[in-house]
Amino acid sequence: MKAIECLKYGDAENLVLSNVEKPTPNDNEVLIKIRATSVTTSDVLIRGLNEPLIPRFILQLIFGFGSPRNPVLGMVTSGIVESKGKDVTLFDVGDEIFAYGSISPTNRRFGSYGEYICLPEDWNLALKPANLSFEEAAAIPYGGLLASHLLKKTSIKEGDKILIYGASGSIGTMAIQLAKNTGAHVTGVCSLRNFDLVKSLGCDQMIDYTAENAEKQLETYKYVIDAVGNSKSSALKEKSKKTLTPNGKYISIDHGTPLTTREAFFNLKSLAEQGKIKPVIDSVYPLERMVEAHKYVEKGHKRGNVIITV
């Protein structure tokens, strides 16, 4: 089968289109013919591995030294069940599904940068919402699960004011919608060009982090949610940490290891089916243009998700 392999850590040019062995499902697994996947910020960080010495060493302990143990990256999948192991009962051949290849911090599987992948039936794997295309379904798991992890640390009540820093990215666009579903009053921080986007997702107010008077627009918030982490900062972000109510809380995507639970995954599926969340797609590339897609995501200005069709 065709797949994109990461030959070594570093530049996007290290991603090469190759022919690799087609996987065979174990007894509890389904073989998925992939129709779409996503290039996430995490994919780009793993591929580049541009970290200080100690964090880089730890990451290589996890993912492999010199190059990834599994050279086919990618954890987001949407596609069709082509075959299944003898013990699989939840899915049938021909089912349209979507999936995320992580069920816990220590139990993950890469491999969606290719034509096929095998996943256990009891992982984050479900029938694709019928109201979504394969591309749209591939735009839900990464941002949706990480946003769910952030919101899980809150106890938002109707009318609570929250600030989402990085509101226009894959995590931020989902965090806006999940927060609005809980009744929050949401202020989104992003660039001016993304105001219309985040407003369409439910933002009540917007702040342009590049504006000269950005810090003066801050109010007081029950929760400040940092959807971009340490990779991006500004005077506005640092000031926002001091705008909390007495019982307020600052929550960063870099705090702890994100949990990607089945409960959260199936909640996202349900919300998508009800039209209560909608995926945001910045651009779509074919598998053969993976290098170009990685370079675009690496710039750090994508709106929502970058999708790869297979």
Side-chain angles (χ1 to χ4, degrees):
M1 71 172 192
K2 292 180 180 179
I4 299 292
E5 292 189 293
C6 181
L7 302 182
K8 63 180 180 178
Y9 299 118
D11 295 337
E13 278 78 10
N14 292 330
L15 298 169
V16 176
L17 183 64
S18 306
N19 284 311
V20 303
E21 186 176 354
K22 181 179 175 180
T24 302
N26 293 324
D27 291 345
N28 69 329
E29 294 180 344
V30 295
L31 173 67
I32 303 162
K33 173 69 177 78
I34 299 174
R35 294 287 298 275
T37 185
S38 174
V39 176
T40 70
T41 301
S42 295
D43 292 343
V44 171
L45 290 174
I46 293 168
R47 184 264 301 158
L49 210 65
N50 186 24
E51 301 290 331
L53 181 61
I54 294 178
R56 180 184 176 91
F57 178 78
I58 293 171
L59 286 171
Q60 290 191 93
L61 279 175
I62 298 170
F63 298 114
F65 285 89
S67 62
R69 291 188 189 92
N70 181 354
V72 182
L73 301 178
M75 297 178 71
V76 175
T77 297
S78 70
I80 301 171
V81 175
E82 182 164 295
S83 65
K84 63 180 186 175
K86 66 180 182 63
D87 296 335
V88 172
T89 60
L90 299 177
F91 300 96
D92 293 314
V93 172
D95 282 347
E96 297 184 351
I97 60 85
F98 75 126
Y100 190 65
S102 171
I103 197 66
S104 74
T106 57
N107 209 359
R108 63 173 71 89
R109 184 177 299 183
F110 293 98
S112 64
Y113 282 12
E115 293 182 303
Y116 293 91
I117 191 172
C118 290
L119 290 173
E121 68 167 343
D122 59 350
W123 276 31
N124 283 330
L125 177 66
L127 294 176
K128 177 180 72 65
N131 56 329
L132 299 185
S133 67
F134 286 109
E135 292 80 10
E136 290 170 329
I140 287 180
Y142 177 77
L145 284 169
L146 296 187
S148 298
H149 169 74
L150 290 170
L151 270 293
K152 185 85 171 179
K153 298 181 178 184
T154 72
S155 54
I156 296 174
K157 297 181 177 62
E158 184 82 26
D160 279 349
K161 286 188 174 183
I162 75 168
L163 181 82
I164 298 176
Y165 192 94
S168 59
S170 55
I171 302 172
T173 51
M174 280 294 174
I176 293 169
Q177 298 176 80
L178 293 174
K180 290 302 296 182
N181 282 328
T182 63
H185 180 282
V186 178
T187 297
V189 176
C190 57
S191 64
L192 180 62
R193 76 182 185 97
N194 292 324
F195 274 16
D196 287 345
L197 168 64
V198 299
K199 186 176 183 179
S200 74
L201 299 175
C203 265
D204 301 284
Q205 295 175 245
M206 290 78 70
I207 299 177
D208 177 6
Y209 70 93
T210 67
E212 290 185 6
N213 66 340
E215 295 173 52
K216 294 180 181 179
Q217 297 179 53
L218 291 169
E219 298 179 6
T220 303
Y221 308 97
K222 181 69 177 291
Y223 299 102
V224 172
I225 295 176
D226 176 10
V228 294
N230 295 331
S231 63
K232 292 182 181 179
S233 191
S234 68
L236 178 66
K237 183 200 276 193
E238 295 307 309
K239 182 70 176 296
S240 72
K241 298 176 184 179
K242 301 175 182 178
T243 61
L244 297 169
T245 61
N247 295 317
K249 188 176 182 182
Y250 173 74
I251 304 166
S252 171
I253 194 63
D254 283 343
H255 292 167
T257 302
L259 300 178
T260 52
T261 65
R262 275 172 62 81
E263 177 187 7
F265 184 78
F266 278 89
N267 182 54
L268 293 169
K269 168 182 162 67
S270 176
L271 292 173
E273 289 172 333
Q274 297 173 60
K276 292 184 177 180
I277 59 172
K278 60 181 182 180
V280 176
I281 296 176
D282 178 302
S283 49
V284 179
Y285 296 81
L287 185 69
E288 292 77 10
R289 292 171 59 193
M290 183 67 78
V291 170
E292 186 180 343
H294 261 248
K295 287 182 176 180
Y296 178 66
V297 173
E298 201 162 26
K299 291 178 181 177
H301 300 297
K302 66 182 177 65
R303 297 155 49 98
N305 300 267
V306 171
I307 300 301
I308 302 291
T309 54
V310 182

Short mmCIF file of all heavy atoms in Angstrom, two decimals, residues 4 17 35 39 48 56 59 62 65 69 82 101 114 127 166 186 206 212 217 245 259:
data_model
loop_
_atom_site.label_atom_id
_atom_site.label_comp_id
_atom_site.label_asym_id
_atom_site.label_seq_id
_atom_site.Cartn_x
_atom_site.Cartn_y
_atom_site.Cartn_z
N ILE A 4 2.96 7.48 3.71
CA ILE A 4 3.99 8.49 3.93
C ILE A 4 4.84 8.05 5.11
O ILE A 4 4.32 7.86 6.21
CB ILE A 4 3.39 9.87 4.21
CG1 ILE A 4 2.55 10.35 3.02
CG2 ILE A 4 4.48 10.89 4.54
CD1 ILE A 4 3.34 10.65 1.77
N LEU A 17 6.84 9.49 0.26
CA LEU A 17 5.82 8.56 -0.20
C LEU A 17 6.48 7.22 -0.53
O LEU A 17 7.39 7.15 -1.36
CB LEU A 17 5.11 9.12 -1.43
CG LEU A 17 3.95 8.29 -1.99
CD1 LEU A 17 2.81 8.18 -0.99
CD2 LEU A 17 3.45 8.89 -3.30
N ARG A 35 -9.98 7.01 4.06
CA ARG A 35 -10.42 8.00 3.07
C ARG A 35 -9.88 9.39 3.40
O ARG A 35 -9.67 10.21 2.50
CB ARG A 35 -11.95 8.02 3.02
CG ARG A 35 -12.58 6.73 2.50
CD ARG A 35 -12.39 6.57 1.01
NE ARG A 35 -13.04 7.66 0.29
CZ ARG A 35 -14.32 7.67 -0.06
NH1 ARG A 35 -15.10 6.64 0.22
NH2 ARG A 35 -14.83 8.69 -0.71
N VAL A 39 -3.50 16.40 9.46
CA VAL A 39 -2.15 16.79 9.90
C VAL A 39 -2.33 17.68 11.13
O VAL A 39 -2.79 18.82 11.01
CB VAL A 39 -1.39 17.54 8.80
CG1 VAL A 39 -0.03 18.02 9.33
CG2 VAL A 39 -1.18 16.65 7.58
N GLY A 48 9.23 16.98 13.65
CA GLY A 48 10.35 17.91 13.75
C GLY A 48 11.26 17.62 14.92
O GLY A 48 12.48 17.75 14.82
N ARG A 56 13.77 16.30 24.35
CA ARG A 56 13.98 15.54 23.11
C ARG A 56 14.33 14.08 23.42
O ARG A 56 13.82 13.16 22.78
CB ARG A 56 15.11 16.19 22.29
CG ARG A 56 15.41 15.49 20.97
CD ARG A 56 16.60 16.15 20.28
NE ARG A 56 16.98 15.45 19.07
CZ ARG A 56 16.52 15.70 17.87
NH1 ARG A 56 15.63 16.67 17.70
NH2 ARG A 56 16.91 15.01 16.82
N LEU A 59 11.16 12.29 24.56
CA LEU A 59 10.28 12.02 23.43
C LEU A 59 10.79 10.86 22.58
O LEU A 59 10.02 10.04 22.08
CB LEU A 59 10.12 13.28 22.57
CG LEU A 59 9.26 14.38 23.16
CD1 LEU A 59 9.35 15.65 22.34
CD2 LEU A 59 7.80 13.92 23.26
N ILE A 62 9.97 7.58 23.96
CA ILE A 62 8.58 7.22 23.69
C ILE A 62 8.39 6.80 22.24
O ILE A 62 7.78 5.76 21.95
CB ILE A 62 7.64 8.40 24.02
CG1 ILE A 62 7.74 8.75 25.52
CG2 ILE A 62 6.20 8.08 23.63
CD1 ILE A 62 7.03 10.04 25.89
N PHE A 65 14.39 6.44 18.65
CA PHE A 65 15.60 7.25 18.49
C PHE A 65 15.98 7.37 17.02
O PHE A 65 16.00 6.39 16.29
CB PHE A 65 16.76 6.65 19.29
CG PHE A 65 16.64 6.86 20.77
CD1 PHE A 65 15.97 5.95 21.57
CD2 PHE A 65 17.17 8.01 21.36
CE1 PHE A 65 15.86 6.16 22.95
CE2 PHE A 65 17.05 8.23 22.71
CZ PHE A 65 16.38 7.30 23.52
N ARG A 69 9.64 4.78 15.60
CA ARG A 69 9.58 3.32 15.48
C ARG A 69 8.60 2.91 14.41
O ARG A 69 8.86 1.99 13.63
CB ARG A 69 9.17 2.69 16.82
CG ARG A 69 10.21 2.82 17.91
CD ARG A 69 9.81 2.02 19.15
NE ARG A 69 10.71 2.33 20.25
CZ ARG A 69 10.49 3.29 21.14
NH1 ARG A 69 9.36 4.01 21.06
NH2 ARG A 69 11.33 3.53 22.11
N GLU A 82 -12.80 -2.60 5.72
CA GLU A 82 -12.60 -3.51 4.58
C GLU A 82 -12.64 -4.97 5.00
O GLU A 82 -13.12 -5.83 4.25
CB GLU A 82 -11.27 -3.20 3.88
CG GLU A 82 -11.03 -4.07 2.68
CD GLU A 82 -9.94 -3.55 1.77
OE1 GLU A 82 -10.11 -2.45 1.18
OE2 GLU A 82 -8.92 -4.23 1.65
N GLY A 101 -6.35 7.14 17.08
CA GLY A 101 -5.49 6.04 17.47
C GLY A 101 -4.84 6.16 18.83
O GLY A 101 -3.66 5.86 18.98
N GLY A 114 -1.52 6.70 5.49
CA GLY A 114 -1.41 5.66 4.48
C GLY A 114 -2.78 5.23 4.00
O GLY A 114 -3.80 5.82 4.35
N LEU A 127 -18.96 4.45 14.29
CA LEU A 127 -19.57 4.74 13.00
C LEU A 127 -19.52 6.24 12.75
O LEU A 127 -19.78 7.04 13.64
CB LEU A 127 -21.02 4.26 12.99
CG LEU A 127 -21.24 2.75 13.07
CD1 LEU A 127 -22.74 2.45 13.15
CD2 LEU A 127 -20.62 2.03 11.89
N GLY A 166 -6.15 31.21 21.49
CA GLY A 166 -5.94 30.30 20.37
C GLY A 166 -7.27 29.75 19.88
O GLY A 166 -7.41 28.57 19.61
N VAL A 186 -18.37 33.24 26.01
CA VAL A 186 -17.02 32.95 25.51
C VAL A 186 -16.40 34.16 24.82
O VAL A 186 -17.01 34.76 23.93
CB VAL A 186 -17.05 31.76 24.53
CG1 VAL A 186 -15.64 31.50 23.97
CG2 VAL A 186 -17.59 30.51 25.21
N MET A 206 -14.56 38.93 20.87
CA MET A 206 -13.28 38.55 20.29
C MET A 206 -12.22 39.59 20.64
O MET A 206 -12.53 40.77 20.77
CB MET A 206 -13.38 38.43 18.76
CG MET A 206 -14.19 37.25 18.26
SD MET A 206 -15.96 37.50 18.36
CE MET A 206 -16.20 38.75 17.09
N GLU A 212 -2.92 46.86 19.43
CA GLU A 212 -2.17 47.63 20.43
C GLU A 212 -2.91 47.70 21.76
O GLU A 212 -2.29 47.72 22.83
CB GLU A 212 -1.89 49.04 19.91
CG GLU A 212 -0.88 49.09 18.76
CD GLU A 212 -0.55 50.52 18.36
OE1 GLU A 212 -1.03 51.45 19.05
OE2 GLU A 212 0.18 50.71 17.37
N GLN A 217 -8.60 45.20 26.59
CA GLN A 217 -9.90 44.61 26.30
C GLN A 217 -10.24 43.43 27.22
O GLN A 217 -11.36 42.93 27.22
CB GLN A 217 -9.95 44.15 24.85
CG GLN A 217 -9.81 45.27 23.83
CD GLN A 217 -9.85 44.74 22.41
OE1 GLN A 217 -10.77 44.03 22.01
NE2 GLN A 217 -8.83 45.10 21.63
N THR A 245 -11.29 35.40 38.25
CA THR A 245 -12.11 35.65 39.43
C THR A 245 -11.45 34.97 40.62
O THR A 245 -10.54 34.15 40.45
CB THR A 245 -13.52 35.08 39.23
OG1 THR A 245 -13.42 33.67 39.04
CG2 THR A 245 -14.21 35.72 38.02
N LEU A 259 -5.97 13.34 28.23
CA LEU A 259 -6.68 12.06 28.22
C LEU A 259 -7.61 12.03 27.01
O LEU A 259 -8.29 13.00 26.71
CB LEU A 259 -7.47 11.88 29.51
CG LEU A 259 -6.66 11.90 30.80
CD1 LEU A 259 -7.59 11.76 32.01
CD2 LEU A 259 -5.61 10.80 30.81
#
